[in-house]
Amino acid sequence: MTVHKGRGIAAIEYPTGMNQNGDPSQAWIKVKPDGRIDVFAGTSDIGNGSKTIQSQIVAETIGVPYEWITYDNSNTDSSPVCTGTFASRATFVAGMAVKKAAERVRERILDIAGKELEIDPADLDIVDGEVIAKGSPQTKISVPDVAAAATWGHGELITGAGAQLKPYAAIVEPETGKVDLPPHSAISYASCAAEVEVDDETGEVRVTRLVQCFDVGRAINPTLVEGQIEGGAIQGLGLGVLETSYPYYPGMEHRGGQFGSYLAPGMEDLPVMDTVLIENPSVDGPYGAKGIGEMANNPQPPAIATAVHDAVGVWVTELPITPERVLRALQRKAAGEGEPTRKGKLIVYDEELSLAAVAHPDAPVRLVVDA
Amino acid sequence: MKAVGARVPRYDGVAHVTGRTVFVEDVEIPGVAWVKALRSPHHHATITKLDTRPAEQMKGVRAVVTAADVPLNVYGHLSALGIPGDEPLLADAEVRYLGQPIAVVAADDEQTAQAAVDAIEIEFEERPALFDVRKAFDPDAPQIHQWGNWYPHFEAGMDRRQIRKGDIDAAFAQADVIVQGVYRPAAIEQLPLETQVCQVVPEANGRLTIYSCTQALYFSMGVVAAHLQQPLNKFKFVGGTVGGGFGGKVDTATETLCSLLALKSGRPTKWRWTREEEFLCSSTRAPWHMEMADAVTKDGWILGRRMITLHDSGAYARFSPYGVTKHAFHHTGAYTIPNLHFDGWCVFTNRTPTSAMRGFGVTSVSFATETHLSRIAEELGIDPFELRLKNANRIGDTSPNGVVYTDPSTVPTILAIADHLGHELPADYRTMTSEPRSDGLLPEHLVAQVGNPEDH
């Protein structure tokens, strides 16, 4: 028995927002008489942290402490439309909606502060919960005092609404797939290196280290985005080496129906993880942010498959890379099989998995390559 | 303090880790009736007899709902995007996957609900099933879907998603080497800790309050409203705090049926899927069958890609056509490949319908592209970092469907990881940026293909 080490890399991209757009998010905000801020948005928090991220965006945009924000996404009577938490859209698309709503609120606070201070609102700024005169910071009024003045003095409600919608990108040439507009809000990028140990007797693949560099545009909350990247990596590890709903598909037997009969990654499977954030701001996202929630589980499977090849010299391109698949590949290799077919300049891997090998000879779908 | 960029604690983190967050399951509603479903025991069958009277007559049973009770039984969740509906909320004439719901029961407690489900009289005539997407196009393949074995409703009535770019034949003629491979990621579970769950209260004013674990409150509300043929003000969705979704709670699994039972019985209803139902009856990540051939030069330029993709949609379309389109749009990964010929099909099988999961449409092609590039690097004897940097998309390059990249960062992310790993690169790679190619690496005879659009 020998344990072989290997390393593989992958580089990926992933779009932010629903493919082809047309997915609105809306939000509205009201200010309490003491200046505390109530945000109403319809964005489900599925553990991705959108309540936190959107609260941070609102605090930053208005210019008040994060602790002043109350975030309510609890029901559709009080919250406006959000298409949903999917397509890596909660930070970017829904985040833009709360940012626009917060910009309106900020304008209203400055208007009323201007009346109180008898200064043109354009000459005012909001910093840490205080409205200050630009260039004359001793001239100021607190946001709580502005809110009180609005409520009890001016008889006004400080509120703001915002919506984000990128128009639907139509496929104008179905034959070529050409679209009339960019079909995404932004594109994020990431690279990953996987280090593995492969046991050539048991076929077991152990992922020992994952190094990951993600361009997040702007980390609204570095702790949460690192959590997304590391949590996603574990899901990618599961897809790569452990998980399958139907272990012998197209056979239907042995489908796991409980945690004990379905192999998801456990604590003992966790590799060492190094996470590097790159901030290459998006042109029009909130504070330059991009969405990276989904892509966090994309680069590991190919990096692992490549690392397995680096370790033991076999390519396993059916996932998951189970001990059984590794051992079968090693057996074929030992028997001098499993090498790609070479015809002139054409190099064909995995022929036995292809439609050409499995489908009926008269079936119309094939990969046709003229070498 | 700046709020953006700060490591502030999670808004509801303390509540989560101390067990005080109220999830859908935690809402206590007096007099709530439990819901259970009669599900198909077959992969593919015709329903020859369905008699719910034995269940309806049982003590403690409050309502039984079948397809006949649903105002609009088939509703296309993406009809706004031109994707028509194919899946009945409750099966009527035919079942197409193991676990497909046929009838639902609301009863005073979980045991009675299950006993009522077991009392429903049902008979089937089994039909041949299709499991391997690669056999879906065979002349003798069992026909399993009213639209045929693959989705036929892409734009202009096309039965596949196509990408065509550049001159694919010239690229393959010009190539020094063509590398071809097959990539097959599996179906996996989204695996949230919170299973599908919902509670519905019929209010005195005729509205329904729907406690939902959906990832998309308004989307789900639209789905329920469409099935029930009611305006949106009939519903109040309560939720927004979800115990994990990963894409598996975008499809509306429980809300409509619980609503129908609440309306029919006049009682609040609760449906909490068991862990086994979550595993066996909820949608999975789609398995994909991808074959690609890349035309490359011996110094590592990827001139063209031919690719076919079969997306295993399972028994119904759900969001699969959307996933295949997104897949097609991103099938070159983080690289500029100037000549493309892509065909992608949504293939129906008798598997549990597949649907959204984290990375929908792209996780698959990231696996295929990156594993394929590693093979190409090995075949050519080129450093895998250099091969990727060379072909990385740059500002001004165009995507498979003709969109100009404005802010790509393939180059910086690859350089960052090389740096972190201490991987040595030649100076002309180390200093590479995302700016349009002007670094002399690109041979003159390839400029028209790989260069930027303004150059040709």
Side-chain angles (χ1 to χ4, degrees), chain A residues 60 79 215 249 298 309 349, chain B residues 2 218 363 378-379 409:
Chain A
E60 180 81 19
S79 292
D215 170 18
Y249 206 80
N298 287 3
H309 176 264
Y349 286 90
Chain B
K2 298 283 283 180
Y218 270 87
T363 308
E378 195 202 44
E379 285 290 345
S409 52

Side-chain angles (χ1 to χ4, degrees), chain B residues 199-216:
Chain B
Q199 304 198 57
V200 176
V201 179
E203 305 289 355
N205 59 9
R207 298 182 80 205
L208 294 175
T209 301
I210 300 175
Y211 296 88
S212 168
C213 66
T214 177
Q215 291 179 226

Side-chain angles (χ1 to χ4, degrees), chain A residues 14 45 51-52 56 60 71 79 85 191 215 220 245 249 293 298 309 317 345 347 349-350 353 355 360, chain B residues 2-3 5 11 134 138 175 178 182 187 189 215 218 240-241 291 326 351 358 363 375 378-379 409 413:
Chain A
Y14 195 81
D45 192 330
K51 290 177 188 173
T52 317
Q56 286 179 264
E60 180 81 19
Y71 182 89
S79 292
T85 300
S191 60
D215 170 18
I220 304 286
S245 301
Y249 206 80
N298 287 3
H309 176 264
T317 61
K345 63 183 185 182
I347 304 166
Y349 286 90
D350 316 320
L353 300 177
L355 277 153
H360 190 282
Chain B
K2 298 283 283 180
Y11 189 89
R134 293 170 296 188
D138 288 358
I178 298 164
V182 182
E189 305 296 327
Q215 291 179 226
Y218 270 87
T241 300
E291 301 190 19
K326 189 170 173 182
R351 188 195 287 264
R358 196 173 195 170
T363 308
R375 282 175 153 173
E378 195 202 44
E379 285 290 345
S409 52
T413 47

Side-chain angles (χ1 to χ4, degrees), chain B residues 43-247:
Chain B
H43 299 297
H44 191 199
T46 304
I47 300 171
T48 53
K49 179 190 174 188
L50 175 63
D51 186 352
T52 58
R53 282 170 299 182
E56 286 155 11
Q57 288 156 8
M58 285 173 68
K59 188 170 179 295
V61 171
R62 300 293 168 173
V64 180
V65 160
T66 66
D69 297 295
V70 190
L72 180 64
N73 197 33
V74 178
Y75 169 66
H77 291 195
L78 289 179
S79 56
L81 300 181
I83 298 171
D86 63 337
E87 182 174 9
L89 183 66
L90 290 170
D92 45 14
E94 184 190 17
V95 285
R96 290 202 191 134
Y97 70 94
L98 191 76
Q100 183 171 358
I102 300 161
V104 283
V105 173
D108 287 348
D109 56 66
E110 207 170 355
Q111 293 71 26
T112 307
Q114 187 58 54
V117 164
D118 296 339
I120 294 172
E121 291 175 8
I122 187 158
E123 289 171 11
F124 301 92
E125 190 177 306
E126 275 196 80
R127 291 162 66 171
L130 173 68
F131 295 118
D132 191 337
V133 287
R134 293 170 296 188
K135 295 178 179 292
F137 301 90
D138 288 358
D140 56 353
Q143 293 302 300
I144 64 153
H145 193 287
Q146 70 263 35
W147 293 339
N149 284 354
W150 58 95
Y151 178 81
H153 295 302
F154 288 105
E155 286 81 358
M158 290 172 68
D159 69 347
R160 71 199 72 175
R161 172 59 68 212
Q162 283 190 183
I163 298 286
R164 302 287 186 269
K165 188 183 183 191
D167 185 342
I168 194 72
D169 291 328
F172 274 70
Q174 197 179 359
D176 297 315
V177 176
I178 298 164
V179 179
Q180 187 173 330
V182 182
Y183 302 93
R184 292 169 53 82
I188 68 169
E189 305 296 327
Q190 290 90 354
L191 217 61
L193 278 184
E194 176 194 51
T195 62
Q196 298 283 2
V197 58
C198 135
Q199 304 198 57
V200 176
V201 179
E203 305 289 355
N205 59 9
R207 298 182 80 205
L208 294 175
T209 301
I210 300 175
Y211 296 88
S212 168
C213 66
T214 177
Q215 291 179 226
L217 290 163
Y218 270 87
F219 180 82
S220 295
M221 188 160 73
V223 170
V224 176
H227 279 300
L228 269 58
Q229 297 285 286
Q230 295 285 340
L232 294 180
N233 69 352
K234 177 95 175 175
F235 309 100
K236 176 182 183 180
F237 263 65
V238 178
T241 300
V242 182
F246 308 107

Side-chain angles (χ1 to χ4, degrees), chain A residues 231-321:
Chain A
I234 302 310
Q235 231 164 358
L237 187 156
L239 179 64
V241 300
L242 292 170
E243 295 182 52
T244 178
S245 301
Y246 306 84
Y248 294 99
Y249 206 80
M252 299 296 285
E253 67 276 20
H254 304 300
R255 188 169 183 197
Q258 298 292 340
F259 280 121
S261 52
Y262 178 89
L263 274 182
M267 292 306 284
E268 71 278 12
D269 299 303
L270 301 198
V272 172
M273 283 190 274
D274 301 346
T275 303
V276 180
L277 301 182
I278 295 173
E279 294 187 319
N280 178 19
S282 71
V283 182
D284 48 7
Y287 298 102
K290 300 173 180 175
I292 62 93
E294 288 179 277
M295 69 191 294
N297 71 10
N298 287 3
Q300 303 82 19
I304 292 167
T306 304
V308 168
H309 176 264
D310 188 43
V312 292
V314 295
W315 292 106
V316 180
T317 61
E318 280 191 290
L319 296 181
I321 305 173

Side-chain angles (χ1 to χ4, degrees), chain A residues 315 317 332 338-343 346-359 366-367, chain B residues 134 180-184 289-292 375:
Chain A
W315 292 106
T317 61
R332 291 180 69 196
E339 283 296 305
T341 309
R342 293 167 194 275
K343 305 169 212 157
L346 182 62
I347 304 166
V348 183
Y349 286 90
D350 316 320
E351 236 169 341
E352 71 286 356
L353 300 177
S354 68
L355 277 153
V358 176
R366 289 277 186 288
L367 181 67
Chain B
R134 293 170 296 188
Q180 187 173 330
V182 182
Y183 302 93
R184 292 169 53 82
H289 176 88
M290 296 166 282
E291 301 190 19
M292 59 170 65
R375 282 175 153 173

